[in-house]
Amino acid sequence: MDDTKPSKSARKRAYLALQKLGEELITLRESDLQSLPLDEDLLEAVLEAQGIKAHGALRRQKQYIGKLMGRIEDPEPIRQALERLRQK
């Protein structure tokens, strides 16, 4: 087995962490979201999730947000900006 390739469990943990970060974005106001370094697709998906009330649809939207978060090269700037918003 190749040591440089992360295990399936490690990949799943990383994906779930990104999905959780995306779920935190859903709780923010639109003005706060605009100040974060989000790409257009991710911002649109988060704003759409804020309007969804059906549990199943919201769950699927959260998964989609997690997928979009996975495409980001480095989610650390988003984490840092979110932390700055929390401190205010």
Side-chain angles (χ1 to χ4, degrees):
M1 183 171 188
D2 189 10
D3 290 335
T4 61
K5 183 178 177 184
S7 69
K8 184 177 179 181
S9 297
R11 290 191 316 259
K12 186 172 182 179
R13 279 191 299 273
Y15 169 77
L16 290 175
L18 289 174
Q19 186 175 340
K20 184 173 177 7
L21 180 61
E23 289 175 13
E24 291 179 43
L25 295 175
I26 294 172
T27 64
L28 298 177
R29 294 186 311 252
E30 185 173 352
S31 60
D32 291 336
L33 288 171
Q34 297 290 344
S35 68
L36 296 176
L38 304 176
D39 70 356
E40 187 177 319
D41 291 336
L42 181 57
L43 178 61
E44 185 178 312
V46 170
L47 293 174
E48 186 174 328
Q50 290 177 340
I52 297 175
K53 301 299 178 204
H55 177 71
L58 183 58
R59 180 182 54 80
R60 287 188 298 276
Q61 189 69 11
K62 287 178 181 178
Q63 289 175 336
Y64 176 63
I65 290 170
K67 182 179 178 180
L68 291 175
M69 294 287 294
R71 294 179 183 166
I72 296 173
E73 292 279 330
D74 182 20
E76 196 56 37
I78 296 173
R79 282 190 181 102
Q80 292 172 354
L82 192 57
E83 186 60 36
R84 284 191 301 271
L85 281 175
R86 282 190 210 126
Q87 291 176 354
K88 287 185 178 180

